[in-house]
């Protein structure tokens, strides 16, 4: 049985780690900070477009949440790498 509250809660918890990692990168500044700021904006626009498209073509909110969690996991992995 799918529990949308649990998935949303997990997304919020997982996103906090990405926020932490991004804030560190932004705080260090330089080329990496600038690149991260630009990447962050581009990713958000693409993710919003993907979510909108999914919903317009009959996808469920659960599908959107699952996809956002995939994006968050990928960002966590990318930002955690040395």
């Amino acid at each position: 049985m799918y529990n949308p509250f649990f998935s949303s809660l997990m997304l919020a918890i997982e996103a906090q780690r990405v926020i932490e990692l991004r804030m560190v990168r932004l705080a260090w500044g330089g080329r990496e900070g600038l690149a991260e700021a630009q990447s962050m904006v581009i990713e958000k626009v693409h993710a919003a477009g993907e979510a909108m498209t999914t919903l317009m073509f009959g996808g469920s909110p659960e599908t959107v949440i699952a996809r956002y969690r995939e994006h968050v996991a990928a960002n966590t992995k990318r930002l955690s790498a040395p």
Side-chain angles (χ1 to χ4, degrees), residues 11 18 22 43 46-48 50-51 64-78:
L11 175 61
V18 173
R22 280 191 159 152
E43 287 175 8
H46 283 263
E50 183 180 348
V64 172
I65 292 170
R67 184 68 177 134
Y68 267 102
R69 288 185 71 194
E70 290 175 13
H71 287 296
V72 168
N75 278 326
T76 300
K77 184 176 180 180
R78 178 180 61 83

Side-chain angles (χ1 to χ4, degrees), residues 12-61:
I13 291 168
E14 294 161 355
Q16 288 300 312
R17 177 71 176 145
V18 173
I19 292 167
E20 174 192 354
L21 293 168
R22 280 191 159 152
M23 292 302 293
V24 169
R25 196 161 285 193
L26 292 172
W28 278 104
R31 289 183 188 191
E32 285 188 11
L34 179 60
E36 188 59 37
Q38 291 171 341
S39 172
M40 185 171 52
V41 172
I42 291 168
E43 287 175 8
K44 300 238 182 272
V45 171
H46 283 263
E50 183 180 348
M52 182 176 57
T53 303
T54 299
L55 293 172
M56 282 178 21
F57 285 103
S60 67

